[in-house]
Amino acid sequence: MKKISLFIILVFIPVLVFAQQNHYTIKGTGESLLDGDTIYLCQIRGLFSIQRIDSTIVKNGQYTFTGSHPGCDVRYILTQRNGKYSNIISLMLENADITVRSFDPKTKKEPEVTGGDNFKLWKRHKEIDNKWKEQRTPYAKIMIDSVSTLQAKQKAQRAIDSLDHLQMAEEMQFVVANMPAPYCDLVLASNFKKYSTEQQNFILAAFKEKMPEATNYKRILAETKANEATAVGKRFTDFSMQTPNGGLISVGAVIRKNRYTLVDFWASWCGPCRAEMPHVVETYNRFHEKGFEVIGVSLDNNHDAWVKAIENLKMPWPHISDLKGWQSEGAAIYNVKAIPANVLVDGNGTIVARDLRGIKLINKMEELLK
């Protein structure tokens, strides 16, 4: 029934035509703006890197940006006065008339932003996301509560997983219903890894039919093909690297000695990796005696930082690295584009899961080693 309903959505929802102009105009005002303030139009790269796209000066209490932008992307307005930044405001950059009104930070009022058709879709999408976040909140509190039992967290995780699946289904319907709006391609980029295999196949088919030239769709399609060689059900691909002491270990040698091995891609400089590591340590401590092993593959390029992190995070399993950072040969083999990432392999060399995080790793090992 699920497949039939998705097919009906794809075939019978009418295609919406977005008539965009060929340029954008951003007009901004603000209660606390002063003539002479510098305003930057920015994008954010990675977690913290701000890249300036354009700049202008406040005159008569207002500023204007003009230009052309294919598709749509989330961008930011940033105010600079006397070398200090303030009032970062997000907007949807698209070829449309856009207005931004900021307020004095002391009032704590949200900026007022308007935009084109993709901005309107962005707002509707936020409403969907907020609705599901509200439903997940009580379970999320259990997950971070230090006194919650493992059983309570596992039950909460199951509830979160169920809600996540329902949210992804609704958001996927939202995307298909609004094709070929460029915003649909943004949602695909942020959600694709969260979709189930069935949902991934469905949404890729929808893009192939309705938006075959979309930028993120083409990128994801290429990455999906690259992942096929190391997908669940495939045989693992072996590689060897040096240990912290200069020895050489092959991943295959570790896999053959254990019932299940987690090939864990991480780095000492990766904050999310360090936050995830206690879950990996807990899983290791629970299941190592039953045949579970971990081999850490570091994307570090600094030997001392790598070794220090292993000690500080108390990771007792084997570790290897070629110290090439993002050019790590092991990461390339498994098409690792972000970390933390992992691949779970059974003793016969078959990949049984990928990218298990948090309590999901414990749940998977309980299922496999019960």
Side-chain angles (χ1 to χ4, degrees):
M1 287 299 292
K2 187 183 296 181
K3 290 182 179 179
I4 293 174
S5 64
L6 291 177
F7 178 76
I8 289 173
I9 291 168
L10 177 59
V11 174
F12 294 103
I13 288 180
V15 173
L16 302 181
V17 178
F18 279 66
Q20 280 192 302
Q21 59 195 49
N22 60 8
H23 68 281
Y24 64 80
T25 300
I26 304 172
K27 294 185 177 180
T29 58
E31 288 183 350
S32 58
L33 291 180
L34 298 178
D35 285 5
D37 285 350
T38 301
I39 307 295
Y40 293 103
L41 178 62
C42 309
Q43 61 180 326
I44 295 180
R45 296 289 192 185
L47 294 177
F48 306 110
S49 178
I50 297 176
Q51 180 179 343
R52 300 170 183 174
I53 300 170
D54 200 355
S55 65
T56 189
I57 302 296
V58 175
K59 185 177 181 180
N60 297 325
Q62 59 186 11
Y63 59 88
T64 302
F65 290 102
T66 59
S68 179
H69 186 76
C72 67
D73 288 288
V74 178
R75 295 293 184 257
Y76 301 87
I77 296 293
L78 189 61
T79 303
Q80 184 185 53
R81 181 186 302 161
N82 299 326
K84 295 183 179 180
Y85 295 107
S86 64
N87 271 7
I88 187 166
I89 301 170
S90 59
L91 55 81
M92 183 61 63
L93 187 63
E94 57 182 317
N95 288 334
D97 294 326
I98 301 166
T99 67
V100 179
R101 184 187 178 200
S102 61
F103 298 93
D104 190 313
K106 295 177 182 179
T107 67
K108 297 184 179 180
K109 291 178 66 175
E110 291 293 323
E112 295 177 355
V113 181
T114 68
D117 292 325
N118 291 287
F119 171 78
K120 294 170 185 174
L121 289 178
W122 187 31
K123 288 186 66 176
R124 285 169 53 193
H125 186 206
K126 284 183 176 180
E127 291 171 0
I128 294 173
D129 187 48
N130 289 336
K131 176 186 71 175
W132 290 102
K133 279 183 179 178
E134 185 177 347
Q135 293 189 48
R136 281 195 298 270
T137 296
Y139 304 108
K141 289 180 178 178
I142 293 173
M143 296 298 294
I144 62 174
D145 188 347
S146 60
V147 301
S148 294
T149 64
L150 174 62
Q151 290 73 22
K153 290 183 177 180
Q154 288 176 320
K155 184 177 180 179
Q157 184 64 62
R158 287 192 292 271
I160 290 172
D161 290 345
S162 178
L163 291 170
D164 285 347
H165 185 81
L166 291 171
Q167 178 177 354
M168 289 302 103
E170 181 177 354
E171 292 192 0
M172 191 163 52
Q173 292 178 26
F174 169 83
V175 167
V176 175
N178 289 289
M179 286 181 170
Y183 183 69
C184 298
D185 196 39
L186 284 189
V187 180
L188 178 73
S190 62
N191 279 1
F192 186 75
K193 290 186 177 181
K194 303 175 188 177
Y195 292 147
S196 66
T197 300
E198 179 190 9
Q199 289 172 333
Q200 288 181 347
N201 292 337
F202 169 76
I203 202 68
L204 289 177
F207 269 86
K208 182 179 181 180
E209 179 177 346
K210 304 294 184 181
M211 298 178 65
E213 297 303 314
T215 300
N216 289 316
Y217 162 68
K218 291 168 71 174
R219 174 182 59 78
I220 288 170
L221 189 63
E223 290 179 359
T224 300
K225 291 180 179 178
N227 280 332
E228 287 178 358
T230 57
V232 172
K234 299 288 187 177
R235 182 166 179 79
F236 86 104
T237 301
D238 199 5
F239 62 92
S240 301
M241 288 181 179
Q242 286 192 330
T243 67
N245 295 326
L248 193 68
I249 293 181
S250 75
V251 172
V254 177
I255 288 172
R256 286 188 290 271
K257 293 179 181 178
N258 298 280
R259 294 177 65 185
Y260 293 95
T261 299
L262 188 75
V263 185
D264 190 36
F265 296 90
W266 72 292
S268 66
W269 46 260
C270 169
C273 299
R274 299 180 78 105
E276 179 66 19
M277 207 55 69
H279 299 293
V280 183
V281 171
E282 182 179 2
T283 307
Y284 177 88
N285 290 338
R286 283 178 176 272
F287 300 105
H288 181 61
E289 295 300 322
K290 295 182 179 181
F292 173 71
E293 183 60 280
V294 180
I295 179 166
V297 183
S298 171
L299 274 65
D300 273 282
N301 49 28
N302 182 302
H303 179 274
D304 292 343
W306 174 37
V307 173
K308 185 176 180 180
I310 293 171
E311 295 174 352
N312 290 345
L313 295 171
K314 297 179 171 57
M315 302 151 66
W317 48 81
H319 292 273
I320 58 175
S321 179
D322 55 13
L323 296 178
K324 294 181 179 179
W326 281 113
Q327 280 65 54
S328 165
E329 294 177 10
I333 289 171
Y334 285 86
N335 198 33
V336 172
K337 301 295 184 182
I339 51 176
N342 58 55
V343 180
L344 183 64
V345 187
D346 69 17
N348 296 318
T350 300
I351 297 172
V352 296
R354 290 195 61 150
D355 296 326
L356 295 168
R357 299 279 190 87
I359 204 166
K360 291 183 179 181
L361 178 59
I362 291 179
N363 289 346
K364 187 65 176 180
M365 296 317 304
E366 280 191 345
E367 172 193 330
L368 293 172
L369 295 175
K370 59 185 177 182

